[in-house]
Amino acid sequence: LLIAALPWSASAQSDTEDPADPDFLLSILEDGESIESVFEDTVTAELFAFYGTAGDEVSITMIQADDSDLDPYLVVLGSAGQLIAIDDDSGETSLSAAITDLELPVDGIYLIIASSFDYINAIGSTEPLEEAQAFTISLTGATMPGEESTQYFSSRLELGDSHEGYSTEDEPVYYYTLVSLEEAVAIDVAVASDDFDTLVMV
């Protein structure tokens, strides 16, 4: 599991994870690639990743299916948890999302949260969607950085662990990988602060 602890908030990053590791389950977008996916049941967001090099001018689009009333919503995050870009309705088709010619600040892994404007404030809801909503997400302009620059920064949590951190505007999201889980195990995840209104996404 990848846990993003948000207010959009977080603390300095520490350990590393490599999405190239077969045990790290995340959809990796490559330059020029399009992936078709669907929101259904209680799934209202999907996490994608891509490798990028500082100075790359990257374009990302999220387009709903022709028969869908989905309102695509994109969020791009850096490997240190920094918020890079957000878009709702800049796509060429009505309601679709597009982030165009985004200049990447550093080499490394970037994460994309693909959701809907209608869902983004209700992520984690247990209410199932009335109908499935298909979409296509596409990436262009990204190049693979050198091997020393492709790490993804996070902290690992074991069941029963706790972690203290701090939040900054430069690094507003903190990533955790939760390990040693068995199938169908029930977990509780809590994020608390006296300084801001926290949000956790699993």
Side-chain angles (χ1 to χ4, degrees):
L1 293 180
L2 178 71
I3 300 174
L6 307 166
W8 302 87
S9 120
S11 61
Q13 312 297 312
S14 56
D15 305 329
T16 63
E17 294 289 341
D18 182 4
D21 186 321
D23 293 328
F24 190 92
L25 302 179
L26 191 61
S27 296
I28 305 294
L29 273 168
E30 297 183 359
D31 181 55
E33 184 179 19
S34 296
I35 294 179
E36 295 180 357
S37 192
V38 62
F39 299 134
E40 57 187 342
D41 195 19
T42 58
V43 177
T44 56
E46 188 166 352
L47 194 63
F48 298 87
F50 67 92
Y51 294 97
T53 301
D56 283 351
E57 293 187 352
V58 171
S59 294
I60 304 161
T61 61
M62 181 181 176
I63 302 173
Q64 70 276 29
D66 291 340
D67 59 351
S68 171
D69 59 0
L70 181 71
D71 185 356
Y73 190 90
L74 289 171
V75 179
V76 179
L77 303 170
S79 59
Q82 65 271 50
L83 180 62
I84 304 295
I86 295 176
D87 186 72
D88 180 20
D89 291 332
S90 297
E92 293 184 359
T93 61
S94 177
L95 298 180
S96 66
I99 295 172
T100 305
D101 297 330
L102 172 66
E103 184 172 347
L104 301 184
V106 296
D107 294 359
I109 284 284
Y110 290 82
L111 297 183
I112 303 168
I113 299 174
S115 186
S116 165
F117 182 80
D118 298 323
Y119 304 158
I120 198 67
N121 292 317
I123 290 175
S125 171
T126 57
E127 291 294 323
L129 298 175
E130 293 183 1
E131 59 183 31
Q133 301 282 9
F135 65 92
T136 301
I137 187 165
S138 303
L139 170 74
T140 59
T143 62
M144 179 68 73
E147 291 184 2
E148 295 181 356
S149 302
T150 58
Q151 292 179 321
Y152 164 84
F153 290 85
S154 72
S155 289
R156 283 181 175 269
L157 284 178
E158 298 277 357
L159 291 178
D161 282 353
S162 63
H163 182 272
E164 292 185 0
Y166 61 91
S167 297
T168 71
E169 292 184 1
D170 292 333
E171 296 181 359
V173 178
Y174 199 101
Y175 307 117
Y176 294 91
T177 51
L178 187 57
V179 297
S180 301
L181 289 182
E182 297 179 359
E183 184 177 358
V185 67
I187 63 170
D188 295 320
V189 181
V191 181
S193 173
D194 293 331
D195 299 321
F196 55 79
D197 185 4
T198 60
L199 172 66
V200 62
M201 295 170 61
V202 180

